Amino acid sequence: KQEVTQIPAALSVPEGENLVLNCSFTDSAIYNLQWFRQDPGKGLTSLLLIQSSQREQTSGRLNASLDKSSGRSTLYIAASQPGDSATYLCAVLDNFNKFYFGSGTKLNVKP
Amino acid sequence: EAQVTQNPRYLITVTGKKLTVTCSQNMNHEYMSWYRQDPGLGLRQIYYSMNVEVTDKGDVPEGYKVSRKEKRNFPLILESPSPNQTSLYFCASSPPRGAAFFGQGTRLTVV
C-alpha cells in the first residue's frame, strides 16, 4: 500500500528565508503528485501538480520537483512571507485514481 | 468559476439524527470522493465514486453512505451519527488522472 511521508512535521522560519519541504512515497507507480496548502479549518488549495513524466513545476515563488524513481518530491518556497504560514500537504495519485496524502508540514513564517 | 461546493459548512447535531452533507462540482469531473480529517490522523478517504452510479468504499466507510445519481452531486449520508464521527469533512473531485479540487469543508459536531 502506498505510504506518503512529509518531513518535517513543523517548521518555523524568519521572514525572507528560502525553505524546502519534503515529501516521500513508497510506491513509484504514480500518475502525478500534487502539493496543497491548507489554512486552519479551511479547505485544501492546489498549489502545483507534477505529472509523473515531469521533473518540476513552478508557480511564482514556488517550485516543486519530482524524482519518481527515488520516491521523493520537494516544494521550494523562495523569500518566505508571513502569509505563507499554513500547512502544506502532498498527495500522490496511483494507477487506480486514488489519492494518498501525507500528514503535512505546518509552516510558520515569523515577521 | 470552477469549484466544489459543500453544504452546510458547520453542523452540530445529536447522536442518532440522520443527516446529509451535500457536495456539488461544476467541472464535469468523473471522480468524486469524501474525506475526513482528524488531528494526528490526516486525511482519510471515506467513499469514492468513479462515475454516475459507481461508488466504492474508501479506508473508513463504516457509518457512512453515499450516492451518485448525477455526475455533479455526491452527497454524504450519516444514517445514525455518533460522537466519533465528529470531524472535518471534505469533498473532492477530479478528472481521470488529473488534479484534485476540494470543497471548503464541513465541520461536523455530534453530541
Side-chain angles (χ1 to χ4, degrees), chain B residues 6-77:
Chain B
Q6 293 179 230
N7 280 296
R9 294 288 313 280
Y10 303 91
L11 180 59
I12 301 175
T13 190
V14 296
T15 299
K17 185 177 181 181
K18 181 179 178 180
L19 66 92
T20 299
V21 184
T22 63
C23 173
S24 181
Q25 51 97 1
N26 63 0
M27 295 166 280
N28 202 37
H29 287 165
E30 290 84 352
Y31 191 86
M32 297 185 74
S33 55
W34 277 102
Y35 298 86
R36 61 178 290 174
Q37 187 177 39
D38 302 287
L41 296 176
L43 279 158
R44 294 179 292 170
Q45 190 182 59
I46 303 170
Y47 268 94
Y48 65 95
S49 169
M50 302 291 277
N51 215 320
V52 176
E53 301 292 1
V54 181
T55 63
D56 209 346
K57 297 177 181 178
D59 300 315
V60 288
E62 294 77 20
Y64 304 95
K65 286 176 57 177
V66 293
S67 68
R68 187 94 182 269
K69 292 180 169 47
E70 305 164 285
K71 198 171 187 179
R72 64 183 292 123
N73 296 323
F74 190 45
L76 179 70
I77 303 158

Side-chain angles (χ1 to χ4, degrees), chain A residues 38-44, chain B residues 9-10 37 88 90 103-105 107:
Chain A
Q38 185 178 26
D39 294 289
K42 305 290 187 183
L44 279 68
Chain B
R9 294 288 313 280
Y10 303 91
Q37 187 177 39
L88 181 58
F90 290 104
Q104 285 302 299
R107 184 167 293 281

